Amino acid sequence: VGIAEEAAAAAQDLEGLRAALAAFEGCELKRGAKSLVFCDGDPAARVMIIGEAPGREEDQQGKPFVGRAGRLLDRMFAAIGLGRDRPGTEALYITNILPWRPPHNRDPNADEIAMMLPFIRRHVDLVDPELVIPMGNISCQGLLGRRGITRLRGTWTEALGRPALPMLHPAYLLRNPAAKRESWADLLALQARLRGDGKE
Ligand code: URA
């Protein structure tokens, strides 16, 4: 992890961080992946979404959240007026805990998450968002050091020194459509916070 710390700390801007990841040889996942999936959206956004890891479509296109779960994510955030590149919406910035697709979309393991954490920490510092959304269990494990998204979701907490609202992963919502009710409550909480009428 020392080498990851050093590589991440040396990056002076987002392009530098992308290059540091491209040159990083400390994570096995890189060998099985086609693309480095770094980010999408606007680095000036107030909200930074941090997902888990690329899937097949993300690996093919080199962009986060472009598969089925990603399309649901876009619809969810569009419903509160946020989008990654839609005119007339407030900007979003999107990345993942892991920049490489795990083989067969298996869950990344604790070592892989720990290895890549210095990069996501630096990523958050460079983007400097006002609010962070840890999306799903793996992201909560990395950013909050805790799993249990169904308990963590919907309550404002802190991740990497910023206010954070853990949310249910859209891939989970595709499997459990009834949970969209909770997600909608969380989206409204985010919207309230952005408007400045949140209580916390
Ligand atoms: N799921 C994620 O967590 N991230 C992606 O980029 C795609 C699917």
Side-chain angles (χ1 to χ4, degrees), residues 163-178:
L165 185 65
M167 296 204 339
L168 297 171
H169 197 289
Y172 174 86
L173 296 175
L174 289 171
R175 296 191 303 271
N176 302 275

PDB file of all heavy atoms in Angstrom, residues 163-178:
ATOM      1  N   PRO A 163     -19.276  15.460   4.051  1.00  0.00           N
ATOM      2  CA  PRO A 163     -20.593  14.882   4.294  1.00  0.00           C
ATOM      3  C   PRO A 163     -20.887  13.835   3.222  1.00  0.00           C
ATOM      4  O   PRO A 163     -20.617  14.068   2.036  1.00  0.00           O
ATOM      5  CB  PRO A 163     -21.553  16.066   4.161  1.00  0.00           C
ATOM      6  CG  PRO A 163     -20.705  17.280   4.290  1.00  0.00           C
ATOM      7  CD  PRO A 163     -19.336  16.906   3.807  1.00  0.00           C
ATOM      8  N   ALA A 164     -21.409  12.704   3.657  1.00  0.00           N
ATOM      9  CA  ALA A 164     -21.652  11.596   2.731  1.00  0.00           C
ATOM     10  C   ALA A 164     -23.006  10.962   3.019  1.00  0.00           C
ATOM     11  O   ALA A 164     -23.393  10.809   4.175  1.00  0.00           O
ATOM     12  CB  ALA A 164     -20.540  10.557   2.873  1.00  0.00           C
ATOM     13  N   LEU A 165     -23.701  10.604   1.962  1.00  0.00           N
ATOM     14  CA  LEU A 165     -24.984   9.919   2.083  1.00  0.00           C
ATOM     15  C   LEU A 165     -24.911   8.582   1.344  1.00  0.00           C
ATOM     16  O   LEU A 165     -25.009   8.540   0.112  1.00  0.00           O
ATOM     17  CB  LEU A 165     -26.104  10.787   1.492  1.00  0.00           C
ATOM     18  CG  LEU A 165     -27.522  10.231   1.663  1.00  0.00           C
ATOM     19  CD1 LEU A 165     -27.926  10.168   3.133  1.00  0.00           C
ATOM     20  CD2 LEU A 165     -28.531  11.077   0.883  1.00  0.00           C
ATOM     21  N   PRO A 166     -24.720   7.482   2.087  1.00  0.00           N
ATOM     22  CA  PRO A 166     -24.690   6.171   1.428  1.00  0.00           C
ATOM     23  C   PRO A 166     -26.051   5.867   0.785  1.00  0.00           C
ATOM     24  O   PRO A 166     -27.089   6.146   1.384  1.00  0.00           O
ATOM     25  CB  PRO A 166     -24.407   5.193   2.571  1.00  0.00           C
ATOM     26  CG  PRO A 166     -23.877   6.016   3.700  1.00  0.00           C
ATOM     27  CD  PRO A 166     -24.499   7.364   3.549  1.00  0.00           C
ATOM     28  N   MET A 167     -26.009   5.321  -0.406  1.00  0.00           N
ATOM     29  CA  MET A 167     -27.255   4.966  -1.103  1.00  0.00           C
ATOM     30  C   MET A 167     -27.186   3.534  -1.616  1.00  0.00           C
ATOM     31  O   MET A 167     -26.116   2.978  -1.818  1.00  0.00           O
ATOM     32  CB  MET A 167     -27.523   5.937  -2.263  1.00  0.00           C
ATOM     33  CG  MET A 167     -27.753   7.325  -1.729  1.00  0.00           C
ATOM     34  SD  MET A 167     -28.693   8.504  -2.669  1.00  0.00           S
ATOM     35  CE  MET A 167     -28.758   8.119  -4.233  1.00  0.00           C
ATOM     36  N   LEU A 168     -28.369   2.973  -1.857  1.00  0.00           N
ATOM     37  CA  LEU A 168     -28.453   1.622  -2.420  1.00  0.00           C
ATOM     38  C   LEU A 168     -27.939   1.642  -3.853  1.00  0.00           C
ATOM     39  O   LEU A 168     -28.226   2.556  -4.626  1.00  0.00           O
ATOM     40  CB  LEU A 168     -29.907   1.146  -2.403  1.00  0.00           C
ATOM     41  CG  LEU A 168     -30.545   1.015  -1.016  1.00  0.00           C
ATOM     42  CD1 LEU A 168     -32.047   0.742  -1.151  1.00  0.00           C
ATOM     43  CD2 LEU A 168     -29.858  -0.082  -0.214  1.00  0.00           C
ATOM     44  N   HIS A 169     -27.187   0.607  -4.197  1.00  0.00           N
ATOM     45  CA  HIS A 169     -26.623   0.519  -5.543  1.00  0.00           C
ATOM     46  C   HIS A 169     -27.738   0.257  -6.565  1.00  0.00           C
ATOM     47  O   HIS A 169     -28.629  -0.559  -6.302  1.00  0.00           O
ATOM     48  CB  HIS A 169     -25.607  -0.624  -5.564  1.00  0.00           C
ATOM     49  CG  HIS A 169     -24.682  -0.570  -6.725  1.00  0.00           C
ATOM     50  ND1 HIS A 169     -25.098  -0.850  -7.998  1.00  0.00           N
ATOM     51  CD2 HIS A 169     -23.377  -0.236  -6.808  1.00  0.00           C
ATOM     52  CE1 HIS A 169     -24.055  -0.714  -8.821  1.00  0.00           C
ATOM     53  NE2 HIS A 169     -23.010  -0.340  -8.121  1.00  0.00           N
ATOM     54  N   PRO A 170     -27.691   0.914  -7.715  1.00  0.00           N
ATOM     55  CA  PRO A 170     -28.752   0.659  -8.703  1.00  0.00           C
ATOM     56  C   PRO A 170     -28.831  -0.795  -9.168  1.00  0.00           C
ATOM     57  O   PRO A 170     -29.916  -1.260  -9.529  1.00  0.00           O
ATOM     58  CB  PRO A 170     -28.420   1.605  -9.857  1.00  0.00           C
ATOM     59  CG  PRO A 170     -27.044   2.103  -9.613  1.00  0.00           C
ATOM     60  CD  PRO A 170     -26.789   1.992  -8.145  1.00  0.00           C
ATOM     61  N   ALA A 171     -27.708  -1.515  -9.142  1.00  0.00           N
ATOM     62  CA  ALA A 171     -27.766  -2.947  -9.502  1.00  0.00           C
ATOM     63  C   ALA A 171     -28.613  -3.705  -8.479  1.00  0.00           C
ATOM     64  O   ALA A 171     -29.343  -4.638  -8.824  1.00  0.00           O
ATOM     65  CB  ALA A 171     -26.361  -3.537  -9.572  1.00  0.00           C
ATOM     66  N   TYR A 172     -28.532  -3.296  -7.224  1.00  0.00           N
ATOM     67  CA  TYR A 172     -29.379  -3.879  -6.177  1.00  0.00           C
ATOM     68  C   TYR A 172     -30.839  -3.535  -6.429  1.00  0.00           C
ATOM     69  O   TYR A 172     -31.732  -4.382  -6.291  1.00  0.00           O
ATOM     70  CB  TYR A 172     -28.901  -3.358  -4.812  1.00  0.00           C
ATOM     71  CG  TYR A 172     -29.762  -3.770  -3.641  1.00  0.00           C
ATOM     72  CD1 TYR A 172     -29.564  -4.989  -2.995  1.00  0.00           C
ATOM     73  CD2 TYR A 172     -30.774  -2.938  -3.171  1.00  0.00           C
ATOM     74  CE1 TYR A 172     -30.350  -5.366  -1.923  1.00  0.00           C
ATOM     75  CE2 TYR A 172     -31.574  -3.305  -2.098  1.00  0.00           C
ATOM     76  CZ  TYR A 172     -31.358  -4.524  -1.476  1.00  0.00           C
ATOM     77  OH  TYR A 172     -32.145  -4.889  -0.408  1.00  0.00           O
ATOM     78  N   LEU A 173     -31.090  -2.300  -6.843  1.00  0.00           N
ATOM     79  CA  LEU A 173     -32.478  -1.886  -7.112  1.00  0.00           C
ATOM     80  C   LEU A 173     -33.075  -2.653  -8.293  1.00  0.00           C
ATOM     81  O   LEU A 173     -34.276  -2.918  -8.314  1.00  0.00           O
ATOM     82  CB  LEU A 173     -32.537  -0.384  -7.383  1.00  0.00           C
ATOM     83  CG  LEU A 173     -32.125   0.514  -6.213  1.00  0.00           C
ATOM     84  CD1 LEU A 173     -32.110   1.973  -6.650  1.00  0.00           C
ATOM     85  CD2 LEU A 173     -33.056   0.318  -5.022  1.00  0.00           C
ATOM     86  N   LEU A 174     -32.222  -3.007  -9.257  1.00  0.00           N
ATOM     87  CA  LEU A 174     -32.729  -3.795 -10.395  1.00  0.00           C
ATOM     88  C   LEU A 174     -33.190  -5.173  -9.917  1.00  0.00           C
ATOM     89  O   LEU A 174     -34.160  -5.723 -10.438  1.00  0.00           O
ATOM     90  CB  LEU A 174     -31.651  -3.936 -11.476  1.00  0.00           C
ATOM     91  CG  LEU A 174     -31.331  -2.662 -12.268  1.00  0.00           C
ATOM     92  CD1 LEU A 174     -30.090  -2.866 -13.145  1.00  0.00           C
ATOM     93  CD2 LEU A 174     -32.510  -2.235 -13.134  1.00  0.00           C
ATOM     94  N   ARG A 175     -32.517  -5.703  -8.896  1.00  0.00           N
ATOM     95  CA  ARG A 175     -32.904  -7.014  -8.364  1.00  0.00           C
ATOM     96  C   ARG A 175     -34.010  -6.909  -7.329  1.00  0.00           C
ATOM     97  O   ARG A 175     -34.717  -7.878  -7.078  1.00  0.00           O
ATOM     98  CB  ARG A 175     -31.688  -7.708  -7.719  1.00  0.00           C
ATOM     99  CG  ARG A 175     -30.558  -8.059  -8.668  1.00  0.00           C
ATOM    100  CD  ARG A 175     -29.524  -8.972  -7.995  1.00  0.00           C
ATOM    101  NE  ARG A 175     -28.954  -8.400  -6.776  1.00  0.00           N
ATOM    102  CZ  ARG A 175     -27.863  -7.626  -6.749  1.00  0.00           C
ATOM    103  NH1 ARG A 175     -27.236  -7.343  -7.880  1.00  0.00           N
ATOM    104  NH2 ARG A 175     -27.411  -7.137  -5.616  1.00  0.00           N
ATOM    105  N   ASN A 176     -34.099  -5.748  -6.682  1.00  0.00           N
ATOM    106  CA  ASN A 176     -35.076  -5.539  -5.604  1.00  0.00           C
ATOM    107  C   ASN A 176     -35.857  -4.256  -5.833  1.00  0.00           C
ATOM    108  O   ASN A 176     -35.665  -3.264  -5.124  1.00  0.00           O
ATOM    109  CB  ASN A 176     -34.360  -5.444  -4.252  1.00  0.00           C
ATOM    110  CG  ASN A 176     -33.531  -6.675  -3.943  1.00  0.00           C
ATOM    111  OD1 ASN A 176     -34.036  -7.661  -3.425  1.00  0.00           O
ATOM    112  ND2 ASN A 176     -32.263  -6.621  -4.289  1.00  0.00           N
ATOM    113  N   PRO A 177     -36.744  -4.262  -6.813  1.00  0.00           N
ATOM    114  CA  PRO A 177     -37.417  -3.013  -7.189  1.00  0.00           C
ATOM    115  C   PRO A 177     -38.197  -2.372  -6.037  1.00  0.00           C
ATOM    116  O   PRO A 177     -38.337  -1.150  -6.016  1.00  0.00           O
ATOM    117  CB  PRO A 177     -38.365  -3.420  -8.320  1.00  0.00           C
ATOM    118  CG  PRO A 177     -37.971  -4.794  -8.725  1.00  0.00           C
ATOM    119  CD  PRO A 177     -37.138  -5.397  -7.647  1.00  0.00           C
ATOM    120  N   ALA A 178     -38.628  -3.177  -5.071  1.00  0.00           N
ATOM    121  CA  ALA A 178     -39.383  -2.594  -3.955  1.00  0.00           C
ATOM    122  C   ALA A 178     -38.527  -1.616  -3.151  1.00  0.00           C
ATOM    123  O   ALA A 178     -39.046  -0.699  -2.501  1.00  0.00           O
ATOM    124  CB  ALA A 178     -39.924  -3.703  -3.048  1.00  0.00           C
TER     125      ALA A 178
END
